[in-house]
Amino acid sequence: LFDPRTGACATRYASVSVVMPTATAADALATAFTLMGPTEISRVVRSLGQGEAHLTAATGERDTVRA
């Protein structure tokens, strides 16, 4: 996945998994979240009022964001 802001590969996360009511929403959000920072991801998940995001940074650090 390329970051359109830099043209380089996205390297912040080793893995981004999203749980939402539909697979389409989960897939779209996981792709977008790959390019976003944790504060932005938290804001989006909470604004949706549902779901969760499981993030594994390239360093191996893990975080979960819940609505």
Side-chain angles (χ1 to χ4, degrees):
L1 183 64
F2 291 98
D3 186 336
R5 298 169 292 191
T6 64
C9 291
T11 58
R12 182 185 304 237
Y13 300 108
S15 174
V16 176
S17 299
V18 177
V19 178
M20 290 301 263
T22 68
T24 303
D27 182 50
L29 289 170
T31 300
F33 289 172
T34 300
L35 301 173
M36 299 167 73
T39 303
E40 294 172 290
I41 293 170
S42 180
R43 183 180 49 80
V44 171
V45 171
R46 290 193 174 107
S47 75
L48 293 171
Q50 59 186 352
E52 55 190 49
H54 302 276
L55 313 168
T56 303
T59 62
E61 183 179 342
R62 294 181 181 183
D63 190 18
T64 298
V65 177
R66 292 184 174 89

